[in-house]
Amino acid sequence: MKLKTFLIFLFLGILTVIFALSSGVIKINPLITLKILTNFIVNHNLFDITWNQNLEIILLKLRLPRIFLAFLVGGGLSLVGVLMQALTKNSLADPYILGVSSGASTGAVLSLIVGLNIGGLGTPFMAFLGAIIAAILVFRIANIGGNYSSTKLVLTGIAISSMFSSITTFITFSAQNGDLYTALFWIVGSLSGAKWSSIYLLTALLASVFGITMFFHRELDILLFGEESSKILGVNTNRIRIIIILTSTLLTGVLVSISGVIGFIGLIIPHIARKLTSSKHRILIPVSIFLGGFFLTLADTFSRVVMAPNELPVGIVTSFLGAPFFLWIMKKSIYNFNK
């Protein structure tokens, strides 16, 4: 990524953070927000405290971890979208459309409500297990009869997604009243439960997946030319396919276990990133992560203020924006990844 592009994204990121921190039921002057944030970062009162110190609690204890989580979840979902579109060579592929998110949601709900917690490894493990089962089902069914196609893969993904969503809904209706809100959290997607412990885990995982995918960025570029061409050019397609599936499902499982199902980000953001920059994965991957983080941060900010003092789940906002985008892509007869 060029220095100029990086500085532009950095500037936009700072503006996004200040805007998100300042917005909410209690509105805060952006200048005061900047002063509080500066004092917090340098761990010293560079600016004299002339504001109510309760504002610091609101900014640093409530809103800041939520913004961090929104950026990580948005960036992670965008990265998974890039990987799945490279794997399937289909512009409609993302963890939501292919049923991976729904499978992860079912695993998370089983862990939390039914108490099914294999090996005592917690909700993230169950979410990952649900995601990997969904991914295996989608790719296996789409390849039945040897008539594999990208269209068949997407249609299979939609069917599997509906199946897992039905299972999750059944579990929800079977839950006790005290567990009902918890189940709804996973179905609609929300960032209201942001915790620093989750942020640390997600940061480490996202950084690891980012490093792995950047290491194979040339292979991902070649993969877009088709399997036969990739083999001729020396790419081990089976190895790349396994790496993409494992890293994508692991990341999706952890994301869903923390935030619930937030749809369409993995579909929308990679397309925007390609239009703004390039289809080369060396550039596309970091740009998609940045844009996904910005997008979900702004969407979550909107969800906090549009019905204040009540809160609209952010998954509803992303679905409202993503569904028309999905239909627009379907209307296009051709999408050129290598443009």
Side-chain angles (χ1 to χ4, degrees):
M1 187 187 300
K2 294 181 179 179
L3 179 61
K4 181 180 178 180
T5 305
F6 174 78
L7 291 176
I8 291 173
F9 279 117
L10 181 62
F11 177 71
L12 291 175
I14 293 172
L15 289 181
T16 301
V17 169
I18 293 174
F19 172 75
L21 284 171
S22 303
S23 304
V25 177
I26 299 176
K27 293 180 173 59
I28 302 173
N29 187 307
L31 184 58
I32 293 177
T33 297
L34 184 59
K35 290 180 178 179
I36 293 175
L37 196 59
T38 302
N39 286 350
F40 173 73
I41 292 173
V42 301
N43 196 26
H44 181 73
N45 291 334
L46 290 179
F47 298 99
D48 294 331
I49 300 176
T50 59
W51 51 82
N52 188 328
Q53 289 191 288
N54 287 332
L55 295 180
E56 295 188 11
I57 297 175
I58 294 172
L59 287 179
L60 303 178
K61 302 294 184 182
L62 299 177
R63 294 182 184 174
L64 188 61
R66 182 161 178 162
I67 289 169
F68 267 101
L69 183 61
F71 186 89
L72 292 170
V73 171
L77 290 173
S78 300
L79 173 56
V80 174
V82 170
L83 293 176
M84 288 195 168
Q85 288 172 16
L87 175 66
T88 63
K89 295 177 288 297
N90 191 311
S91 58
L92 297 175
D94 88 325
Y96 185 77
I97 299 299
L98 293 184
V100 179
S101 293
S102 296
S105 178
T106 299
V109 171
L110 280 171
S111 173
L112 288 167
I113 295 180
V114 179
L116 182 58
N117 190 357
I118 297 176
L121 295 178
T123 303
F125 173 78
M126 286 300 297
F128 168 68
L129 186 62
I132 199 74
I133 290 173
I136 291 172
L137 285 174
V138 169
F139 284 97
R140 287 287 187 183
I141 295 173
N143 201 38
I144 289 177
N147 297 320
Y148 175 86
S149 69
S150 295
T151 302
K152 188 177 178 182
L153 182 71
V154 171
L155 293 175
T156 304
I158 293 172
I160 295 298
S161 178
S162 298
M163 182 186 74
F164 277 104
S165 295
S166 298
I167 295 172
T168 305
T169 303
F170 174 77
I171 298 170
T172 302
F173 276 100
S174 303
Q176 300 295 322
N177 289 336
D179 296 323
L180 189 57
Y181 177 78
T182 303
L184 289 174
F185 171 87
W186 302 107
I187 293 174
V188 298
S190 174
L191 299 170
S192 59
K195 297 178 182 178
W196 284 112
S197 57
S198 300
I199 291 170
Y200 298 146
L201 168 66
L202 194 50
T203 300
L205 179 59
L206 181 57
S208 300
V209 175
F210 171 75
I212 292 170
T213 53
M214 288 299 288
F215 183 78
F216 291 102
H217 71 87
R218 290 186 180 86
E219 286 84 349
L220 291 173
D221 290 340
I222 296 172
L223 200 63
L224 297 179
F225 292 106
E227 186 151 345
E228 292 300 322
S229 298
S230 299
K231 289 180 178 179
I232 293 172
L233 293 171
V235 174
N236 188 333
T237 55
N238 288 330
R239 183 182 66 171
I240 293 298
R241 187 179 292 111
I242 291 172
I243 290 172
I244 292 176
I245 292 174
L246 286 179
T247 55
S248 297
T249 51
L250 175 60
L251 184 54
T252 301
V254 174
L255 289 170
V256 171
S257 73
I258 294 172
S259 65
V261 179
I262 300 176
F264 291 106
I265 291 180
L267 174 69
I268 297 173
I269 300 303
H271 287 277
I272 297 175
R274 288 187 186 95
K275 291 296 183 182
L276 292 177
T277 55
S278 168
S279 291
K280 300 295 183 183
H281 285 86
R282 179 177 60 85
I283 301 173
L284 178 63
I285 289 173
V287 170
S288 294
I289 292 174
F290 274 113
L291 288 180
F294 297 157
F295 175 79
L296 189 57
T297 300
L298 292 174
D300 185 56
T301 302
F302 177 80
S303 73
R304 288 192 286 112
V305 301
V306 67
M307 294 179 64
N310 297 317
E311 182 178 313
L312 184 68
V314 69
I316 295 176
V317 177
T318 59
S319 295
F320 179 80
L321 296 173
F325 194 88
F326 176 78
L327 295 173
W328 175 73
I329 295 174
M330 287 188 66
K331 185 179 178 181
K332 295 177 66 177
S333 57
I334 297 176
Y335 187 91
N336 185 4
F337 277 96
N338 300 306
K339 186 175 180 179

